[in-house]
Amino acid sequence: GRGAVSNANWARMESQWPLFDLGRWDELVTIADGLLARFEDRMQIAVLTETFRQLVLVNRGILDGAPMIEERVLPRAREIDDGQVVVPAFRLAAMARSALGDRSGAIALVDEAAGLIRERPGLRGWLLDDSARLCLSAGEPGVIRTLLEEFTPHVTRDRLSKLGAEAILAELDGEVGVALGRYDEAAERWAAFPHVLEHG
């Protein structure tokens, strides 16, 4: 029935998350293209699907979708106000801004996202991954410090995200030895997780 089809499509959309971590990006884009052909771009499943598709492209240095991210993905994520949409959409938009040279604009989005999930601390780890690197490139430790405050991760992925962010914060604070130790540990543990991009 219709419910089974809907559940199957949602499962296909959710499969993009582990595919992204595993570096199986061509497979992710194929699934995304199939889903996007079926749904209006205002629907939550379409917003999430487009977000993960664009995450692959931005990480590959393809920024053609930057206007669409700003004009459609980001506003819809704000409207939906669901953490599982807000976090990847804001990470994506921040990465695109940074890649286009707007570092302060990127940090502003990370800061906004941190505010939107303030009452949902379980989502902080997911926001930390790319955001910490954006803060490093902008020389802005403040947002990372805020996200790490009172953050007690309960799952492996969040523990590793926190460890990586702590390494970056130590580097920004000039604690080189501490940073190197944490980077080494994070690389080893991300390899075992596995998460191709974070390990790299």
Side-chain angles (χ1 to χ4, degrees):
R2 182 172 294 176
V5 172
S6 176
N7 287 341
N9 284 326
W10 194 262
R12 286 190 194 96
M13 183 277 296
E14 288 190 328
S15 74
Q16 293 175 107
W17 305 349
L19 289 174
F20 185 83
D21 286 359
L22 292 167
R24 290 162 58 181
W25 290 357
D26 290 339
E27 193 175 341
L28 184 160
V29 169
T30 298
I31 290 170
D33 287 345
L35 287 171
L36 289 169
R38 293 182 204 146
F39 297 100
E40 296 176 23
D41 64 4
R42 288 191 59 77
M43 295 178 69
Q44 182 166 336
I45 192 170
V47 175
L48 276 165
T49 298
E50 187 63 70
T51 296
F52 275 91
R53 183 176 175 277
Q54 290 295 331
L55 272 170
V56 169
L57 297 178
V58 169
N59 272 289
R60 287 175 166 170
I62 301 167
L63 299 168
D64 298 352
M68 182 268 294
I69 293 167
E70 291 283 343
E71 293 161 18
R72 291 214 309 263
V73 173
L74 204 50
R76 279 296 290 135
R78 288 189 180 104
E79 287 173 24
I80 293 167
D81 192 31
D82 180 335
Q84 70 177 338
V85 179
V86 165
V87 171
F90 272 74
R91 277 173 52 199
L92 165 66
M95 288 171 63
R97 284 187 184 181
S98 182
L100 290 167
D102 183 8
R103 288 181 175 172
S104 62
I107 298 303
L109 283 181
V110 174
D111 196 38
E112 182 182 349
L116 290 172
I117 65 165
R118 186 163 287 121
E119 303 306 316
R120 296 170 273 190
L123 294 167
R124 290 189 200 176
W126 205 17
L127 180 59
L128 276 170
D129 290 342
D130 295 304
S131 303
R133 284 191 292 276
L134 293 176
C135 291
L136 177 62
S137 68
E140 290 282 351
V143 181
I144 309 176
R145 223 182 293 280
T146 299
L147 286 168
L148 288 172
E149 280 173 7
E150 299 176 15
F151 176 41
T152 305
H154 299 291
V155 297
T156 300
R157 185 196 176 96
D158 286 349
R159 288 190 198 101
L160 300 187
S161 296
K162 183 181 182 187
L163 179 61
E166 287 171 341
I168 286 172
L169 186 57
E171 181 176 349
L172 283 165
D173 287 343
E175 299 173 358
V176 178
V178 174
L180 284 173
R182 287 183 178 152
Y183 279 129
D184 286 344
E185 184 182 353
E188 184 178 334
R189 291 172 66 184
W190 274 122
F193 184 69
H195 188 313
V196 173
L197 194 62
E198 289 301 321
H199 177 238

